[in-house]
Amino acid sequence: MKPQTLEIKTSIQIQKPVHEVFEAIVDPAKMSNYFIVYGSGRMETDTKLTWRFPELDVDVPVCVAKVMNDEYISYYWDNNKKEMLVEMKLTKHGNDTVVSVTEKSAENDEAGIKWLKGNTEGWANFLACLKAWLEYGVHLRKGAFDYRFEKK
């Protein structure tokens, strides 16, 4: 029997202290180094923000639900006119940090499988870019999506 709903779960270990990783996620100036090109404000409990991504030519509304310093961030954003919950948990692992991301949920149908595929790819990219920027100062997203805007 197949599950009724689909959700994304992924994680990565980053060789930086929890607070440094937390700040990289909640501060839009830091997020612009690996995730967004614009953020209207810091992620804080019960705030409404706007994000712009390098690969999208639209503003994405984000409703931050809960932020617990150095531990947890949750927010809602739209996916094809359906509000999706994203939860990020930060766990200390020695001197490092494990970042776990969950996004939920979609129906287990053709549209849901398309969402699962696209957003799983997106969260893997998010975590890899966050790790590369924090550990090595490398901006993996720089120029990564220019081809989408070039005229053919």
Side-chain angles (χ1 to χ4, degrees), residues 83-125:
E83 197 171 66
M84 306 300 271
L85 173 63
V86 175
E87 295 179 292
M88 296 185 186
K89 295 178 182 170
L90 286 73
T91 308
K92 185 176 175 157
H93 185 77
N95 293 324
D96 300 346
T97 304
V98 174
V99 180
S100 302
V101 178
T102 303
E103 184 175 6
K104 50 190 168 185
S105 64
E107 295 298 317
N108 191 352
D109 57 17
E110 189 174 326
I113 292 168
K114 183 179 177 184
W115 163 81
L116 185 73
K117 179 183 176 287
N119 282 31
T120 298
E121 178 183 301
W123 286 117
N125 182 272

Side-chain angles (χ1 to χ4, degrees), residues 5 30 57 82 93-94 109 114 130 146:
T5 59
K30 292 178 181 170
D57 193 22
K82 181 179 181 198
H93 185 77
D109 57 17
K114 183 179 177 184
L130 175 62
D146 291 352

Side-chain angles (χ1 to χ4, degrees), residues 6-18:
L6 303 169
E7 66 181 51
I8 296 165
K9 291 183 179 184
T10 189
S11 60
I12 200 166
Q13 184 171 333
I14 298 176
Q15 297 174 5
K16 292 291 179 178
V18 170

